[in-house]
Amino acid sequence: MLIETFMPNTAAEAPFETKSAKAATAPSMRPRRYRPRRTTADRVREALLAVAQGQASLLSHEEKPWASITFSGTRHEIMLDFDGKSAVAAGEDFITVLPDHEFTIPGQLVAEAAVREVDHRFGGNDERMVVTAVLLLLEES
């Protein structure tokens, strides 16, 4: 009885109204999703895979900064694997198109794009080509 006088029966009371629960669902109050920024290396890989018509898989990518008296930039060496007959045909197109391709990489100018090495293996039903491409990028000022 003494407890009932200090603590009223909460089961009979109406539930509390919370305004913060409604405010959290408002679009301005939603937490922003984390989206990592794409680096220049990410953009170079995307551009090369687009030139490869989506038929290649990335084996390796090395990026090295370089600078001269007047320019600075990066050198990218990328190995792409073309596996299968249709992929090898796309790889042969890649080799012919790459040196003259116009890249659009924000903040960068592709000074040189060349194929450094080609390893073409075929026989039976298996055909595979590994192409090593080198791109020299200059930072736009």
Side-chain angles (χ1 to χ4, degrees), residues 47-70:
L48 282 178
L49 290 173
V51 174
Q53 304 167 15
Q55 296 287 322
S57 56
L58 181 71
L59 293 178
S60 68
H61 181 182
E62 294 180 20
E63 178 183 8
K64 294 180 183 175
W66 71 273
S68 67
I69 293 173
T70 54

Side-chain angles (χ1 to χ4, degrees), residues 62-66 73-77 136:
E62 294 180 20
E63 178 183 8
K64 294 180 183 175
W66 71 273
T74 53
R75 180 181 180 274
H76 296 264
E77 185 171 312
L136 185 62

Side-chain angles (χ1 to χ4, degrees), residues 7 9-10 24 29 36 45 51 53 60 63 67-68 97 111 120 140:
M7 297 186 71
N9 187 1
T10 57
M29 299 299 289
R45 283 191 295 270
V51 174
Q53 304 167 15
S60 68
E63 178 183 8
S68 67
V97 169
H120 190 172
E140 288 183 343

